[in-house]
Amino acid sequence: MLYQKLTGLLSICRKAGRMEIGFAPMLEALKAGKICGVIVTEDVSPKTHKEVCYHCERAGIPVCPVPLSQMQLGAAIGRKAAVVGLTDDGFFDRIRTLCETQCAGD
């Protein structure tokens, strides 16, 4: 159920043009002040995860790990990626709430 909700929400977010897909585009948008939150997949490399956390912490932007692989995320947004920056507070808050609810239910 969580998988369907997350992928549906991410698909809508992509179609609305409210995301930056990939580390480099996310970092560029982060520096421009456009990112409100970043999601990372469960199979992101430790090095990339560390870099994302470093840059986001410096900018005061939250990072939310999602229980999706790069392939699952790619199927939802049309492009394989491990890092996605969201430029809409509403989308990011809903995704974070879904992930936190799932973790609390485990």
Side-chain angles (χ1 to χ4, degrees), residues 35-39 52 56-57 59-64 92-93 96:
I35 300 294
C36 62
V38 176
I39 62 170
V52 167
C56 287
E57 187 177 309
I61 300 298
V63 176
C64 177
F92 181 73
D93 289 342
R96 183 167 47 183

Side-chain angles (χ1 to χ4, degrees), residues 33-102:
K34 296 179 182 177
I35 300 294
C36 62
V38 176
I39 62 170
V40 293
T41 61
E42 62 189 6
D43 60 349
V44 66
S45 76
K47 180 181 182 277
T48 300
H49 189 266
K50 184 178 177 182
E51 285 187 52
V52 167
C53 290
Y54 170 77
H55 290 291
C56 287
E57 187 177 309
R58 289 188 69 204
I61 300 298
V63 176
C64 177
V66 293
L68 300 173
S69 68
Q70 293 179 41
M71 295 298 283
Q72 290 170 322
L73 179 62
I77 64 174
R79 207 169 112 204
K80 183 180 169 190
V83 177
V84 175
L86 302 178
T87 60
D88 184 276
D89 286 323
F91 282 118
F92 181 73
D93 289 342
R94 181 68 180 132
I95 289 168
R96 183 167 47 183
T97 301
L98 282 171
C99 293
E100 288 172 354
T101 302
Q102 176 65 24

Side-chain angles (χ1 to χ4, degrees), residues 5-16 19 75-77 91:
K5 287 181 180 180
L6 275 176
T7 55
L9 193 58
L10 288 164
S11 178
I12 293 168
C13 184
R14 165 75 171 173
K15 289 174 185 170
M19 63 173 51
I77 64 174
F91 282 118

